[in-house]
Amino acid sequence: MAAVMALIASASAAAPAMPDHKAQTEASRQAILGFARLLFIEHKPQEAFARYFADDLIQHDPEIGDSSHGGEAFLKNRWEKNPEQFLPTNQYSTVVDNILADGVLVAIKSHVFTNPQDPGRVFVDIWQVKDGKFVEHWDVIQPIPPFTVNGHSMVIGPLEPGRVKGGPADAA
């Protein structure tokens, strides 16, 4: 029994100290706030990606490549193929509804409009943070529909007149 206790004691002594959850959450929160400021307020996507994406970022969006340059390449290619639909990213309009941070995970729920006629999409982006950089990314993207059956908006605040309660017939 003494040998088992000694083994447990030596194993726990050798284990690295776990970072304080509150401190990690605050560090992650600062990273996501800095990223959001550069991307959505200052409209500097390349600077945001360079500052906050780890070189070996793991990307779970099937349309975007891994690495810190995957997002840049995706946005550039999409704009080059469909310039009428997708203005340059510095001209997007994005409204951030929520920013969440818990330990090494951060998330943003937002709605993004890529041109003046775009009805928009709701995004939920989730990142894992390590040393102030995003090392892994997941997202869920849903188009904002022209109407909702239940009359509730997918975004914070009311929908435009005619975009609630059952669709075009109700808008008349």
Side-chain angles (χ1 to χ4, degrees), residues 3-4 33-34 48 50 61 105 117 121 129 135 138 140 147 159:
V4 171
L33 290 173
D61 182 315
L105 296 175
Q117 293 75 40
R121 282 163 294 296
V129 181
V135 296
W138 301 262
V140 180
F147 67 91
L159 286 175

Side-chain angles (χ1 to χ4, degrees), residues 108-127:
I108 293 181
K109 178 186 174 275
S110 60
H111 51 286
V112 177
F113 304 90
T114 60
N115 70 59
Q117 293 75 40
D118 181 15
R121 282 163 294 296
V122 173
F123 283 64
V124 176
D125 286 288
I126 303 168
W127 290 273

